Amino acid sequence: NILVGIYSVPAMMNHDCVGNVRVSMDSVGAMSVIASVLIKKSQAIRFNYVKALDPTWVRQVQLMENKFFNCGCQRCADPLELGSNVSSHRCQLENCEGTVLPSQPLSMKEEWSCQKCGQVTQAEAIRKSLKNFEKDTEKLDKNSMKDLRKILTKYEKKFHRNHGLLCELKQMIVSGYGRLPGYQVEDMTESDHRMKLELCRDVLNVLDVVEPGLNLGRGLILFELHSTIVMLANMEFERKHNANQLLMRLLEAERFLHEAGIIMKLEPVGSPYYHLASNIARNKEELGQYIEQVKSM
């Protein structure tokens, strides 16, 4: 079915690459538009028509091909993308590792330069890196943690750690931990959990800028973040027997889980993630009981 429905009121929302609403649809095609952040009186309601983690060039191409306009929003016009570095690359000069930014963010022809050493990179080289990443991920076995981590290691040398394409790859790896063969929860080492923790924080830091508030992506990462904090807290307690440190970690996990619960409750019935709301409610109860036990140690 190509046609789902005609939504005349939501269709009036203007685009911005940092939206302030969350749009969802239930199993019968009813659409909900919810404020994801505080919207002040007379402030425009804005929805991001494209993926928040896509770098500027990718967003511009998608908008032109599908919506027939170029975006000149504050994020697109900023080489740093509001400090998120979603489009930034890494300098390829030996021992530099500076951040490479576009001289003209809205142009796909102007040169880029390293903010540390000044080395100039032609736009064609940036385009080639993006194309190579696309080719490598197209043939990637997304059920192989080994392959996912291999691609991440390769492109961490080329892209800024906050680059949107890397963040999407990190999301896949985070989702794979605890689920993929050889990386079920019982198989994961402390090193695996620490890597998952780092990746969750990396993605969350970027989403806080480009897709803030009550958005689905943040809810999913917060849920994953809470679980790995609890696992690491238990592992550390087995070694150090420090109840105060364990309690501190568990309270941190509880805060993330609470926020994830608020976000996931907004998912409509029939959504692929609707069931997570009830899972989170059970987890909150169990974690609360665990925290009370630790307090009595």
Side-chain angles (χ1 to χ4, degrees):
N1 295 328
I2 297 176
L3 180 64
V4 177
I6 297 175
Y7 305 92
S8 56
V9 176
M12 299 299 292
M13 291 188 293
N14 284 331
H15 164 79
D16 193 281
C17 288
V18 181
N20 55 18
V21 296
R22 170 178 170 185
V23 175
S24 57
M25 193 175 297
D26 66 16
S27 56
V28 296
M31 181 180 288
S32 299
V33 179
I34 303 166
S36 56
V37 295
L38 180 65
I39 303 176
K40 297 179 180 179
K41 184 178 180 179
S42 31
Q43 183 180 352
I45 295 175
R46 306 185 306 269
F47 175 58
N48 189 348
Y49 295 172
V50 289
K51 290 162 62 177
L53 287 176
D54 278 345
T56 300
W57 281 10
V58 176
R59 297 196 310 277
Q60 293 288 349
V61 169
Q62 290 292 322
L63 288 170
M64 179 52 69
E65 289 183 351
N66 298 304
K67 302 296 183 179
F68 310 107
F69 70 88
N70 290 315
C71 180
C73 71
Q74 184 182 2
R75 177 183 169 190
C76 284
D78 181 6
L80 287 168
E81 296 209 38
L82 307 180
S84 68
N85 282 292
V86 166
S87 291
S88 303
H89 286 235
R90 288 180 67 178
C91 185
Q92 297 302 294
L93 282 186
E94 189 175 359
N95 299 323
C96 179
E97 298 184 356
T99 300
V100 178
L101 299 176
S103 58
Q104 299 292 334
L106 298 178
S107 170
M108 297 186 188
K109 297 180 180 179
E110 299 297 325
E111 62 189 23
W112 294 45
S113 62
C114 176
Q115 304 305 292
K116 183 177 180 182
C117 72
Q119 171 75 9
V120 171
T121 302
Q122 297 302 317
E124 184 55 37
I126 300 295
R127 188 176 291 105
K128 183 177 179 181
S129 292
L130 296 174
K131 279 290 184 184
N132 287 341
F133 181 87
E134 183 181 356
K135 289 178 183 177
D136 283 345
T137 52
E138 278 178 355
K139 57 188 179 184
L140 180 66
D141 180 2
K142 293 180 175 60
N143 290 316
S144 169
M145 182 63 74
K146 180 181 177 182
D147 289 353
L148 289 169
R149 288 169 62 164
K150 183 178 179 181
I151 293 293
L152 179 63
T153 300
K154 177 179 178 179
Y155 283 95
E156 278 180 328
K157 300 172 183 175
K158 301 177 183 294
F159 298 156
H160 189 283
R161 69 180 297 153
N162 288 359
H163 196 283
L165 300 182
L166 280 189
C167 284
E168 290 182 344
L169 185 58
K170 289 175 182 180
Q171 285 179 319
M172 283 190 274
I173 295 174
V174 166
S175 179
Y177 277 126
R179 298 175 181 86
L180 292 182
Y183 290 88
Q184 301 289 325
V185 174
E186 60 271 17
D187 302 322
M188 289 176 65
T189 64
E190 184 170 344
S191 176
D192 292 329
H193 283 291
R194 291 200 180 281
M195 182 174 184
K196 181 179 177 180
L197 178 66
E198 180 182 348
L199 297 183
C200 282
R201 292 194 187 279
D202 283 350
V203 175
L204 188 60
N205 286 339
V206 175
L207 290 177
D208 283 344
V209 177
V210 301
E211 198 172 36
L214 303 175
N215 280 294
L216 176 61
R218 289 190 72 255
L220 296 174
I221 285 293
L222 286 165
F223 179 73
E224 296 287 356
L225 181 57
H226 113 273
S227 67
T228 203
I229 288 174
V230 171
M231 294 298 295
L232 281 170
N234 289 334
M235 291 177 175
E236 289 176 354
F237 181 72
E238 288 179 7
R239 288 199 316 271
K240 301 177 181 178
H241 305 288
N242 186 330
N244 287 333
Q245 184 183 60
L246 174 60
L247 178 60
M248 182 177 68
R249 298 278 192 269
L250 294 179
L251 290 173
E252 180 186 23
E254 186 181 46
R255 289 194 297 272
F256 288 132
L257 184 60
H258 176 71
E259 188 176 359
I262 293 173
I263 293 171
M264 299 314 298
K265 276 183 180 179
L266 300 174
E267 278 297 285
V269 176
S271 157
Y273 303 104
Y274 175 73
H275 68 283
L276 261 183
S278 56
N279 289 349
I280 288 173
R282 288 195 298 271
N283 287 6
K284 283 180 66 176
E285 183 178 353
E286 292 171 2
L287 182 57
Q289 293 171 356
Y290 185 21
I291 288 171
E292 291 306 312
Q293 291 174 8
V294 174
K295 284 180 178 178
S296 63
M297 286 183 179

